[in-house]
Amino acid sequence: KVQDVKKAYVHYTIKVTCLVDNGNPSWTVRRRYANFFDLKTELDRRHRSATSVLPPKRLYGQMDDAFIDQRRRGLEKYLKDLLSSSVDISLSAEVCKFLDVPKH
């Protein structure tokens, strides 16, 4: 949780492991809900078949621990669904950028 005088928000930590590379490198990225929302918006715009569902936005109580945990599980499901979808989507430039996948 990050509490700023003007706005509070949550960073979600994502551990990424590359299963294709022989060395199985892994790294972590931190993203806010807004970053997930932007990713979904871009994927929906560019790939009509992107059907993964984000947990809904919430105006009040978004700093509640129970809500944060529920949203974290929803975001995890969103990413798993996204990464198990078609190769066009799971390996798209948008997804690779979101996950900070290194270029080879």
Side-chain angles (χ1 to χ4, degrees), residues 30-77:
R30 292 174 44 167
R31 298 289 182 258
R32 294 172 60 173
Y33 180 84
N35 302 125
F36 283 88
F37 186 83
D38 291 345
L39 172 65
K40 173 146 181 58
T41 301
E42 186 65 18
L43 288 174
D44 287 348
R45 187 178 69 75
R46 296 203 50 202
H47 304 276
R48 299 284 180 213
S49 60
T51 59
S52 299
V53 178
L54 274 178
K57 289 186 174 186
R58 186 174 179 183
L59 295 177
Y60 300 101
Q62 65 265 34
M63 297 306 287
D64 175 67
D65 288 339
F67 173 75
I68 291 170
D69 187 56
Q70 179 182 9
R71 179 177 270 181
R72 180 197 56 76
R73 286 179 293 174
L75 294 173
E76 183 176 343
K77 181 178 179 347

Side-chain angles (χ1 to χ4, degrees), residues 4 9 13 17 26 34 42-44 47 58 63 73-74 77 82-83 90 92-93 96 100:
D4 188 310
Y9 57 90
T13 302
T17 302
S26 63
E42 186 65 18
L43 288 174
D44 287 348
H47 304 276
R58 186 174 179 183
M63 297 306 287
R73 286 179 293 174
K77 181 178 179 347
L82 192 66
L83 294 173
S90 62
S92 68
C96 290
D100 286 344

